[in-house]
Amino acid sequence: MSVKVLHLQPTVSPEQGAKILALCQGLQELTLQIVNHTNLLDEENPLHGPLHDLWPTTLCMNIASVFYGPNIYLPDLVLLRHVQRLHLTNCWVARRGLFIGLHELSQLTHLSFHIHSPGQWMTHPEVLFEIFQCFLRLRVVVLWRMEYHASEEIYSNMVQQNLMDHRIVVFNSAHFTEYTGSISSFWEIAERVVQWQENNQKCCDVPSNISSFDLLA
């Protein structure tokens, strides 16, 4: 079966997911939110075999459900070997990225994860420094803020940390469903924002009166 895009939500069991994945040869985009009861690296996990045979280039993943344990090291996950666009749903990635080897996934061109409020998520800015130094193909970094966090405060914090780069895009997580709707994926929207920032020589500074969707026109 030629399936290009597949979304496996938490309601899908590992056994069901394994059967579905076995039918999806040539899969390009995968959302993996299945709750596992064993580490995905373990051969007894039903998903281990089917995922080992897939080469998705776009992946949305919950790290905790995939690894199911404290020993998390992303480069060990074969599923990531060909991934170029990676979205991680876990908010602690911004603070623990160096410890889980996020900065070693140098094949990535697009990276996306959720952040805490300033003062929390910037506790370990080194992960972004490492990413910008090591990811030679990097085009976009999407940071998803909570709706009650002011974007201006986040931008100000990044300036203080010397993390201003036109490839950084800050989106409101309240609009995540909207950004991933049928109009366009948030990756395309983020690319347009990055292009706007580069053309206007601005970093993380899309005017409040401009919608990200306006940049698609």
Side-chain angles (χ1 to χ4, degrees):
M1 181 183 297
S2 179
V3 177
K4 301 299 183 183
V5 180
L6 178 65
H7 301 280
L8 295 177
Q9 303 301 332
T11 53
V12 178
S13 70
E15 291 75 16
Q16 292 171 328
K19 293 179 181 179
I20 295 172
L21 289 169
L23 300 174
C24 298
Q25 301 300 319
L27 188 66
Q28 296 178 0
E29 179 175 338
L30 173 64
T31 296
L32 186 62
Q33 304 288 357
I34 293 177
V35 178
N36 287 282
H37 301 292
T38 58
N39 197 310
L40 190 58
L41 300 176
D42 298 336
E43 293 186 3
E44 62 266 24
N45 189 307
L47 297 172
H48 178 84
L51 287 176
H52 190 276
D53 297 330
L54 295 177
W55 293 7
T57 56
T58 300
L59 177 65
C60 172
M61 180 176 68
N62 182 303
I63 300 175
S65 66
V66 168
F67 282 89
Y68 193 73
N71 299 319
I72 297 174
Y73 191 61
L74 294 177
D76 288 343
L77 195 60
V78 176
L79 178 64
L80 293 173
R81 59 190 166 184
H82 294 286
V83 170
Q84 299 176 23
R85 300 190 293 186
L86 176 64
H87 171 70
L88 300 173
T89 62
N90 312 84
C91 290
W92 47 264
V93 168
R95 292 175 292 141
R96 303 287 298 176
L98 287 177
F99 300 97
I100 61 176
L102 178 61
H103 59 293
E104 296 186 28
L105 303 177
S106 58
Q107 83 279 7
L108 295 180
T109 59
H110 298 63
L111 176 63
S112 169
F113 52 84
H114 297 267
I115 60 175
H116 289 280
S117 59
Q120 293 179 316
W121 78 276
M122 283 298 186
T123 305
H124 297 286
E126 291 86 358
V127 65
L128 283 177
F129 286 129
E130 288 288 335
I131 286 171
F132 283 118
Q133 289 180 2
C134 301
F135 289 21
L136 301 180
R137 303 174 60 212
L138 187 67
R139 294 165 54 188
V140 176
V141 174
V142 182
L143 305 178
W144 294 90
R145 64 176 177 85
M146 300 301 291
E147 186 172 19
Y148 53 82
H149 296 154
S151 56
E152 292 78 8
E153 188 179 4
I154 294 175
Y155 299 153
S156 176
N157 193 271
M158 285 194 289
V159 170
Q160 295 175 14
Q161 300 286 352
N162 293 319
L163 277 173
M164 298 305 292
D165 192 292
H166 72 273
R167 292 170 292 180
I168 298 177
V169 177
V170 178
F171 282 160
N172 186 339
S173 60
H175 301 301
F176 184 79
T177 302
E178 179 183 8
Y179 281 122
T180 54
S182 58
I183 297 177
S184 174
S185 73
F186 72 84
W187 294 119
E188 181 181 349
I189 299 172
E191 287 177 350
R192 297 297 182 91
V193 175
V194 167
Q195 186 64 55
W196 184 92
Q197 292 179 157
E198 183 177 17
N199 292 342
N200 290 274
Q201 298 183 344
K202 295 181 180 291
C203 298
C204 307
D205 192 25
V206 178
S208 58
N209 63 333
I210 295 181
S211 165
S212 295
F213 284 107
D214 293 336
L215 298 174
L216 292 175

